[in-house]
Amino acid sequence: METAVPKIEGHAAFYTHLKSGHVDKARIIGLENDRFVERILVGRKYWEAPIITSRICGICPVIHNITSTRAIENACNIEVSNQTILLRKLMLAGQMVQSHSLHLYLLVLPDFVGASSSFELQRDHPEIFQNAIELKKYADRIIETVGGRAVHPVASVPGGFKSFPTKEKITALIPIGQKTTEIAETTLRLFATFKYPQLKREIISSALYLDHEYAIYNGDIWNSKGDIFKAEKYHDYIYEELKPYTRAKFGTLKGYEMVVGAAARLNINGFKNLSPKTQELIEEFNITLPLNNPFDNIMAQAIENHHFAAQSVELLEYFQKTGVKNEKLVVPSDFGKGTAACEAPRGTLFHYYNLDKDGFIEKCDIITPTVQTLPAIEFDLKNLSPLLKDLSPSERSTLIETLIRAYDPCITCATH
Amino acid sequence: MKKSLAIFSLTSCEGCQFEMLNHYETFNGLLKYFEIKNFRLGQENNFDENFDIAIIEGSADGEEQIKFLKKIRKQSKVIVAIGACAHLGGIQSERNSLPQGIFHKKPTKIVPAVIKTEYIIPGCPINHAELYHCLLDIYWGKQFFLPDLAVCFECRVNENECLIKSGKPCLGPITRSGCNSVCVNAGEACLGCRGAKPEPNIEKLKKILEPMIGEKETENIMTIYGDLTNEIDPSAKK
């Protein structure tokens, strides 16, 4: 059996076949077992969907919870209050910082400072490591304050929230948030100093887009081929296929491999809606679009990390001013079909539900970001040939693992 | 003397591992007592050798994972199974109760059903403090016990309003405490992720819930995380 790539979410192995210096065949193999989440939801009541789907992934439960909640709300034709939307956006900002900082520091950084694990990193670079802890802790606290628990939040349900953070809790988070935004700046500066392997190519990015804000909660899906479509139409654009050698599905944009995630979001949305301070930093480091090197995803995550840390502080300050009202849940009365798309830390996530007249789930479909990324990873394993040429076998695997890690795949999501 | 520790993951969401990492400072404190020999999520150099303690997350799916579990059992002195997947079957165990043939797959198996398991830390996700408590007890040679009161006990301490009394479904009365009633604190019902407490009166609770939400939904909420009645004391089951 292949050994799983260390330090990625879920179990995956890779296989590359070198022929006279060229990667002839490349495969990324998900070793995770499928759990058939879409099937086990059938016959259950609508409100169980966010609870069960958040268990698809332990690193990004918030986004599964919220996408599922929104899809159910679309299926029930209910509108939630502005406060609910802002609380969700706050949770999402926390989710982004949580996932990005964990990936950047614990999984990616050891590759670039020559440590084999986060424990070694902690021993040799304690000051860098402390930053990781602060970022992660702040993000966890946001999700805990709004959602009730850091892993698998409980308060966010279709129709609104079941409990609300007190003003004291929100006020207490603000100074921590300001400090964390500074740490996020340090993080961005740190990651801007690394030398990334150069692997330039034409890439097709796909992400949510909105005119007036950096879209993660809602919006239409735009891609760099020029297509614009609504979440409901995802089946016309994203084709899923099964491969004989892996349990994870492969999703393509009508047959073309696409890139989703932090770099793709920046490519589609541009820098214009990022927080002003983030834009300043981008200018300082002279980062230009498009980000068409897969390793740029690391840098893009560091940029987003700063943006969302800053945005979370803005939202907290807003709630400090207005307070959080105890709003009643909007209870659905009629049920139908609903789709929603949100931006997960790793890219666009689609949830679709078909409810019967009593609110039991009849059909469910979920397309996760990693499903959409896997074909691009395979494609780039082949593109890596020129860089692999003069390396020893162990250096080759290290570089390949670094590439896979840069994409930040989540195999538990891909094989839900 | 540090004891060697390994952390493995089977079919699951890996949320329990992240729950451990979420409280990194406490996790770090453990490194005084344990040396981590195998932890794929967190480190590159993993060893295939004998361990003092192996933590296992997830349920065993298919021959490969069952073989893997048996291998880990041979290599480890103590097995600690963590999370609802290892304890109750997790969300994926729903397929065990569906008619055969819908999936071309064998039922997913809980860890104690495959190998002898010394300790189980329940919950979806686990309570990290409980796991660390258990690990330190093992380190010092003490016997670790889980609380055996119902979630209702903690819920009262937290001064929550009783959901059942206000006509809403909740599995608190039959569920093992130790989570500090985190779900009810946030307004959600207890859905039994920690499994049943000793001598649970499940039939009585069913009789209370069925008039509220109907038979089908009662059955549904009692099976979200798998079989609630799975024994926590693995020695009783082998």
Side-chain angles (χ1 to χ4, degrees):
Chain A
M1 198 177 98
E2 306 86 347
T3 41
V5 181
K7 290 184 291 172
I8 60 167
E9 231 273 338
H11 301 67
F14 62 85
Y15 163 82
T16 47
H17 183 247
L18 279 147
K19 199 173 173 186
S20 53
H22 280 280
V23 179
D24 183 29
K25 277 184 195 153
R27 281 173 179 183
I28 175 122
I29 305 162
L31 303 173
E32 212 74 37
N33 272 318
D34 12 23
R35 285 168 291 160
F36 306 103
V37 172
E38 285 137 321
R39 178 61 185 80
I40 59 185
L41 277 168
V42 173
R44 288 179 176 273
K45 203 82 189 246
Y46 70 92
W47 59 265
E48 289 177 78
I51 295 174
I52 291 179
T53 54
S54 82
R55 263 89 185 165
I56 286 174
C57 179
I59 190 169
C60 45
V62 175
I63 188 71
H64 276 288
N65 173 298
I66 289 177
T67 313
S68 172
T69 303
R70 275 194 57 225
I72 294 282
E73 282 166 358
N74 289 342
C76 305
N77 269 325
I78 47 181
E79 295 266 331
V80 292
S81 68
N82 194 34
Q83 175 183 296
T84 304
I85 293 173
L86 289 178
L87 279 173
R88 284 179 189 165
K89 282 185 179 164
L90 179 57
M91 261 168 88
L92 285 183
Q95 164 88 91
M96 286 284 185
V97 176
Q98 184 188 46
S99 174
H100 283 350
S101 61
L102 196 125
H103 179 244
L104 288 172
Y105 275 103
L106 299 188
L107 309 182
V108 169
L109 189 63
D111 284 345
F112 289 92
V113 294
S116 83
S117 74
S118 46
F119 309 114
E120 251 180 71
L121 181 72
Q122 180 179 18
R123 199 185 58 213
D124 303 339
H125 307 273
E127 66 307 327
I128 297 182
F129 195 77
Q130 192 54 33
N131 288 348
I133 291 186
E134 298 291 331
L135 277 165
K136 186 84 181 35
K137 217 160 73 182
Y138 169 65
D140 285 344
R141 273 193 70 178
I142 293 182
I143 299 169
E144 211 174 309
T145 308
V146 183
R149 179 166 61 191
V151 177
H152 302 321
V154 285
S156 164
V157 295
F161 278 83
K162 283 202 164 177
S163 64
F164 299 89
T166 58
K167 208 168 178 176
E168 291 75 47
K169 278 194 174 164
I170 285 188
T171 314
L173 274 174
I174 292 173
I176 310 174
Q178 285 159 341
K179 202 178 136 224
T180 309
T181 315
E182 280 164 31
I183 295 173
E185 187 183 325
T186 322
T187 308
L188 182 53
R189 286 178 189 283
L190 175 70
F191 278 86
T193 59
F194 294 138
K195 272 218 149 35
Y196 298 100
Q198 290 303 312
L199 184 68
K200 289 252 186 295
R201 67 172 181 101
E202 278 287 292
I203 66 163
I204 303 169
S205 308
S206 170
L208 289 184
Y209 177 82
L210 282 175
D211 256 342
H212 54 280
E213 66 173 63
Y214 194 72
I216 51 166
Y217 179 75
N218 54 358
D220 291 343
I221 296 105
W222 288 41
N223 63 44
S224 37
K225 272 166 65 79
D227 300 321
I228 298 171
F229 60 96
K230 295 216 173 302
E232 295 79 45
K233 294 268 176 236
Y234 72 96
H235 257 310
D236 299 346
Y237 291 87
I238 295 166
Y239 298 168
E240 278 190 304
E241 56 177 314
L242 286 165
K243 299 261 179 186
Y245 53 84
T246 172
R247 296 175 185 115
K249 281 182 191 165
F250 274 48
T252 54
L253 186 71
K254 294 183 171 174
Y256 294 95
E257 52 284 296
M258 61 177 143
V259 172
V260 292
R265 277 194 289 269
L266 287 174
N267 284 340
I268 296 292
N269 283 277
F271 299 138
K272 64 181 194 296
N273 287 322
L274 294 175
S275 88
K277 181 69 191 164
T278 316
Q279 293 192 32
E280 266 173 44
L281 288 168
I282 290 169
E283 215 155 282
E284 191 187 323
F285 297 120
N286 208 2
I287 298 162
T288 48
L289 293 175
L291 302 167
N292 51 11
N293 174 357
F295 292 98
D296 284 343
N297 195 37
I298 299 171
M299 196 58 212
Q301 286 192 337
I303 294 172
E304 281 198 346
N305 195 33
H306 184 271
H307 165 71
F308 286 110
Q311 201 199 29
S312 69
V313 177
E314 268 172 45
L315 283 165
L316 286 168
E317 280 168 346
Y318 168 83
F319 281 120
Q320 188 194 25
K321 242 183 271 156
T322 59
V324 185
K325 289 191 287 289
N326 271 19
E327 285 175 342
K328 273 229 163 91
L329 279 186
V330 188
V331 183
S333 50
D334 61 328
F335 305 98
K337 290 177 194 173
T339 316
C342 288
E343 283 292 330
R346 289 164 184 73
T348 322
L349 169 67
F350 297 91
H351 274 234
Y352 161 84
Y353 297 97
N354 184 0
L355 307 174
D356 74 4
K357 62 178 190 347
D358 299 315
F360 288 96
I361 297 164
E362 275 183 334
K363 197 171 176 240
C364 161
D365 187 31
I366 297 166
I367 298 187
T368 58
T370 303
V371 165
Q372 301 163 59
T373 314
L374 287 173
I377 300 182
E378 266 189 8
F379 185 66
D380 276 333
L381 286 177
K382 287 185 193 161
N383 291 336
L384 213 53
S385 307
L387 299 180
L388 291 175
K389 229 179 208 168
D390 306 319
L391 300 178
S392 72
S394 76
E395 284 170 327
R396 273 182 200 147
S397 344
T398 311
L399 183 61
I400 291 174
E401 283 177 12
T402 310
L403 172 76
I404 294 175
R405 229 169 267 142
Y407 267 109
D408 195 8
C410 172
I411 310 298
T412 47
C413 277
T415 44
H416 48 278
Chain B
M1 238 314 255
K2 282 187 183 180
K3 285 193 191 290
S4 58
L5 181 71
I7 302 165
F8 297 105
S9 171
L10 305 174
T11 303
S12 64
C13 75
E14 306 200 338
C16 293
Q17 290 187 54
F18 282 106
E19 171 72 15
M20 288 160 67
L21 289 177
N22 278 357
H23 303 270
Y24 207 90
E25 277 158 334
T26 1
F27 184 66
N28 237 343
L30 283 180
L31 300 182
K32 262 193 260 171
Y33 303 95
F34 297 99
E35 191 172 346
I36 298 186
K37 290 284 191 186
N38 198 320
F39 184 27
R40 189 199 50 82
L41 187 65
Q43 63 186 29
E44 195 128 334
N45 300 331
N46 293 317
F47 303 95
D48 191 11
E49 53 180 39
N50 289 347
F51 312 109
D52 288 319
I53 304 174
I55 296 177
I56 298 173
E57 169 200 54
S59 66
D61 238 14
E63 284 308 312
E64 227 164 75
Q65 291 194 341
I66 288 175
K67 230 189 267 169
F68 176 74
L69 259 186
K70 287 182 177 159
K71 177 169 159 272
I72 300 303
R73 176 68 268 186
K74 280 196 194 125
Q75 289 174 328
S76 329
K77 288 186 194 144
V78 179
I79 298 273
V80 181
I82 62 170
C85 297
H87 170 212
L88 307 171
I91 56 164
Q92 62 267 27
S93 69
E94 165 89 356
R95 77 157 181 265
N96 296 0
S97 59
L98 290 172
Q100 285 286 312
I102 290 187
F103 306 113
H104 301 285
K105 264 195 121 172
K106 289 200 175 120
T108 187
K109 282 188 168 165
I110 59 169
V111 173
V114 182
I115 55 170
K116 184 169 173 287
T117 309
E118 274 80 8
Y119 297 99
I120 293 177
I121 304 297
C124 184
I126 54 161
N127 174 350
H128 68 282
E130 212 168 56
L131 174 66
Y132 299 160
H133 197 144
C134 173
L135 290 176
L136 288 178
D137 277 0
I138 296 172
Y139 181 86
W140 293 111
K142 292 199 282 188
Q143 178 71 36
F144 170 79
F145 293 104
L146 286 169
D148 49 12
L149 294 162
V151 169
C152 294
F153 177 79
E154 287 174 328
C155 207
R156 284 195 178 184
V157 173
N158 289 323
E159 300 183 2
N160 293 321
E161 205 175 315
C162 180
L163 290 170
I164 291 185
K165 273 187 187 161
S166 56
K168 290 174 192 153
C170 180
L171 299 188
I174 56 164
T175 305
R176 185 185 292 272
S177 63
C179 55
N180 193 26
S181 67
V182 56
C183 293
V184 194
N185 298 353
E188 183 56 276
C190 171
L191 297 170
C193 72
R194 291 174 58 86
K197 72 178 189 67
E199 298 174 19
N201 198 342
I202 295 177
E203 286 313 308
K204 175 75 184 165
L205 188 66
K206 271 188 184 164
K207 268 184 204 139
I208 297 172
L209 297 188
E210 273 164 13
M212 286 181 199
I213 50 175
E215 209 170 306
K216 189 175 170 194
E217 227 187 310
T218 306
E219 182 63 34
N220 278 350
I221 72 169
M222 286 200 173
T223 52
I224 290 181
Y225 299 104
D227 185 0
L228 293 186
T229 55
N230 279 353
E231 285 287 339
I232 201 81
D233 178 15
S235 55
K237 212 168 192 174
K238 194 203 110 57

